Amino acid sequence: MATPAVEKFSLRTQGAIYGVGMFSSTMSHISGLLVPLWLVTLEPSPFLIGVVLGSRSVLPLLLSIHGGALMDRLGVRRVTLFFAIMATVTPLFYPLAPWIPVVILLQMMHGLSASMGWIGAQTTIGHVMKGNPTYAGRLSFSLRIGNFLGPPLVGYVWDQFGAWGAFGMLALWGAGMWVSAMMLPATAGESTGSGPVARRDLMPRLSDHIETFRLLVIPAVLLVVMVSVLRISGAAIQSSFYVVYLESIKFTGAEIGLLWSAAAVLGGVGALGVGPATRIFIPHWLLIVMVAGATILIAITPLLGSVSLLLLLASALRGGTLGLSQPLMVSILLKSAGPGAQGKSVGLRTTANRAAQTILPVLMGAIAEMVGIANSFYVIGGVLLILVGLVAIYTWRSPSLGSGAGPGTA
């Protein structure tokens, strides 16, 4: 299938979108490394660790559809700027409040701010760039740059300067999101006026949620949502007990950060290779295979023992599968949803993702207490692979998907 011609956009516009995406998404990865390291010093039970890490996704679960609808209605820039300020301020309160109930609240607030930034970047790709897979791939590549630099840097800062230095760095990442959001182009509501926003415009609307869930009748949208949940479930393992497991086998913060960076390197290659790959392989099936591969590569972590080279290789290969699958999901979803519903479609996918991220760490915590942390990788990984198989059966039996429809169809 030939890829469509790429419309040109200014470097300022591209840089702003990629900056918002990079800083917001990387915040989640940095937090996924930093918060477990910090929690180990507080010595909670594995179940409480799971509760704290899962709480990060509670507000995105409840408010992502509303946030996406606000971006469709009021414009991405003004909504994203608000959450960028929240992302800058919230990390500074972690070292001040080493009590589990307060940490849960901070996790919820910071998780929402990072999630809304990522929704904003994806929605702008739809509003401004019409969901073009080339720009979606570049957005995904920018994330890998942040993921390459962020985790090892915060691991080093943690080792050298402790919690205050590491959480201060996370606050600087929020400031980077704010600067990038300032340069975003006007979209939706911002194009028709920049006056004060009425209070009723900010309130959640039942109609927005109904319209959003109706998107699931589109086979391509349903496929992306299902695959996205399975993909993010594997990521939830990495951002929770993966770090705790590596710390338990005496890996330092800097060493764990390097493993995450290895994933970012091949992830960038995968993101930039999405265009050529879709000319060779059927996009929907390529997406499913990449998610299956990513799940296997995280589930086998305990089998690799403490051999740094094997863990590095597995992390890098997993990064490649994630890097290729992400722009595929973004492009298929935005094109399938159509104009006027792109923010809602991203909010829908984010809501489904956050449901998985809220439940899975708690579930892993409970399983870890019963069978041990190492065995929990096998249990969750095995269940996810079975679900990937069921999604493959659905795709095969769906006429508009099994026939090999590409990103431009729905």
Side-chain angles (χ1 to χ4, degrees), residues 245-316:
Y245 171 75
L246 292 176
E247 196 276 338
S248 72
I249 58 175
K250 309 305 180 184
F251 274 65
T252 67
E255 289 170 337
I256 297 171
L258 286 174
L259 291 179
W260 285 46
S261 290
V265 171
L266 277 192
V269 175
L272 292 180
V274 66
T278 54
R279 289 195 290 267
I280 300 172
F281 303 103
I282 298 171
H284 301 308
W285 289 110
L286 180 62
L287 178 59
I288 291 171
V289 170
M290 290 300 101
V291 171
T295 302
I296 293 170
L297 288 165
I298 191 66
I300 64 173
T301 296
L303 291 176
L304 306 179
S306 59
V307 182
S308 299
L309 182 60
L310 292 179
L311 288 167
L312 189 70
L313 179 61
S315 181

Side-chain angles (χ1 to χ4, degrees), residues 84-104:
I85 295 172
M86 184 188 296
T88 304
V89 174
T90 305
L92 300 176
F93 287 91
Y94 277 84
L96 287 173
W99 306 290
I100 295 300
V102 179
V103 175
I104 290 173

Side-chain angles (χ1 to χ4, degrees), residues 194-212:
S194 56
V197 178
R199 182 177 178 181
R200 64 178 180 273
D201 290 329
L202 299 177
M203 300 302 293
R205 298 178 182 179
L206 179 61
S207 59
D208 287 336
H209 287 73
I210 292 174
E211 291 172 8
T212 299

Side-chain angles (χ1 to χ4, degrees), residues 36-300:
L37 286 174
W38 187 59
L39 287 174
V40 168
T41 68
L42 304 181
E43 300 182 347
S45 68
F47 179 74
L48 275 181
I49 291 176
V51 171
V52 171
L53 299 177
S55 67
R56 183 177 178 83
S57 300
V58 171
L59 288 183
L61 168 64
L62 299 175
L63 297 176
S64 289
I65 290 176
H66 177 53
L70 284 179
M71 291 178 188
D72 284 335
R73 186 161 60 245
L74 304 178
V76 176
R77 183 177 180 273
R78 64 174 74 175
V79 176
T80 304
L81 278 171
F82 172 82
F83 288 105
I85 295 172
M86 184 188 296
T88 304
V89 174
T90 305
L92 300 176
F93 287 91
Y94 277 84
L96 287 173
W99 306 290
I100 295 300
V102 179
V103 175
I104 290 173
L105 177 62
L106 292 173
Q107 282 282 92
M108 292 167 65
M109 294 175 63
H110 193 258
L112 179 64
S113 60
S115 181
M116 288 300 177
W118 176 226
I119 289 174
Q122 294 175 85
T123 303
T124 310
I125 291 287
H127 283 181
V128 177
M129 298 169 172
K130 315 306 179 187
N132 190 293
T134 297
Y135 291 113
R138 292 176 185 175
L139 172 63
S140 186
F141 176 76
S142 72
L143 270 55
R144 270 64 199 179
I145 296 176
N147 292 343
F148 175 75
L149 297 174
L153 182 57
V154 78
Y156 174 80
V157 172
W158 170 268
D159 290 339
Q160 299 299 318
F161 303 103
W164 274 108
F167 282 108
M169 180 191 143
L170 187 57
L172 288 176
W173 236 250
M177 174 180 158
W178 181 82
V179 171
S180 301
M182 287 290 293
M183 298 187 295
L184 284 174
T187 63
E190 293 159 340
S191 301
T192 58
S194 56
V197 178
R199 182 177 178 181
R200 64 178 180 273
D201 290 329
L202 299 177
M203 300 302 293
R205 298 178 182 179
L206 179 61
S207 59
D208 287 336
H209 287 73
I210 292 174
E211 291 172 8
T212 299
F213 283 109
R214 280 178 178 167
L215 294 172
L216 291 173
V217 303
I218 303 173
V221 172
L222 179 58
L223 170 65
V224 169
V225 169
M226 291 190 297
V227 170
S228 183
V229 167
L230 297 176
R231 181 182 180 275
I232 207 71
S233 295
I237 299 174
Q238 183 174 19
S239 63
S240 55
F241 286 94
Y242 181 78
V243 175
V244 175
Y245 171 75
L246 292 176
E247 196 276 338
S248 72
I249 58 175
K250 309 305 180 184
F251 274 65
T252 67
E255 289 170 337
I256 297 171
L258 286 174
L259 291 179
W260 285 46
S261 290
V265 171
L266 277 192
V269 175
L272 292 180
V274 66
T278 54
R279 289 195 290 267
I280 300 172
F281 303 103
I282 298 171
H284 301 308
W285 289 110
L286 180 62
L287 178 59
I288 291 171
V289 170
M290 290 300 101
V291 171
T295 302
I296 293 170
L297 288 165
I298 191 66
I300 64 173

